[in-house]
Every structure is written in C-alpha cells, then in structure tokens.
Amino acid sequence: MFEWDPDKARKNKAKHRVDLADAERFEFENVLEIDVADAAADGEVRRAALGFIGNQLHMLVYVEHGDRIRVISLRRATRKERLDYERHHFG
C-alpha cells in the first residue's frame, strides 16, 4: 500500500511533472537501489530506487513502514541515472 502527503504530491507534480500516485505502478522487480546521503531523516530510513513505470525509468525516494510505502519523491531518471541503471543491469 502506498501513501503520500497531499501537499508534497502537489509540489512534486509542479516541480517534476510526475504524480506521486504513479508510484503505485513502480516496478520493484528490477530496481537499482541508490545510496541516500541523508538516510535517516526524521528518524526514518529513506530509500531510493531506479525502476520503471511503463517504459520510462524513474527515481523513487520512499520510506517503508511495515506493509506501507510512504512516497517522498518521484521523478524521471536523469541521463546519468539511466546510464548507471544500464551499466548495472546490462554490464
């Protein structure tokens, strides 16, 4: 189950032009986990992953709370992130 702050969702859509609700379609099967510099913000362990939504690679930042995933940010991957993903999965 995914959840997010409605205000953060509005800001994310304005900044990145991606709806946080799209995280529900994020494909976790073949992700590339990314180190998060500030991994313990507000006592929570933040995670970041590169994965697909449809045919577009995205960066998802989130926190796991039991069976819930709280979405912090969702945006399309940068060119460098796409190259990193390709190197990781395809050598």
Side-chain angles (χ1 to χ4, degrees):
M1 173 198 261
F2 291 83
E3 59 184 31
W4 51 84
D5 178 273
D7 186 49
K8 181 161 277 292
R10 283 188 292 280
K11 290 176 183 175
N12 193 85
K13 187 152 188 174
K15 182 176 182 180
H16 300 298
R17 294 185 290 164
V18 177
D19 193 330
L20 293 186
D22 291 341
E24 294 176 337
R25 299 183 300 121
F26 190 83
E27 298 173 16
F28 281 92
E29 294 79 29
N30 293 308
V31 299
L32 172 59
E33 293 286 335
I34 305 295
D35 288 334
V36 179
D38 185 20
D42 300 325
E44 300 177 321
V45 177
R46 289 191 175 184
R47 301 183 184 281
L50 287 168
F52 282 90
I53 297 174
N55 63 358
Q56 183 71 44
L57 191 64
H58 284 76
M59 171 65 78
L60 173 66
V61 179
Y62 64 99
V63 176
E64 291 180 300
H65 290 284
D67 64 345
R68 296 176 296 136
I69 294 176
R70 181 154 185 86
V71 180
I72 306 298
S73 176
L74 180 64
R75 61 173 172 76
R76 288 185 177 177
T78 65
R79 183 177 190 285
K80 180 189 179 311
E81 290 165 344
R82 288 192 309 269
L83 292 172
D84 289 345
Y85 183 90
E86 289 172 8
R87 274 190 223 107
H88 176 77
H89 284 289
F90 306 115

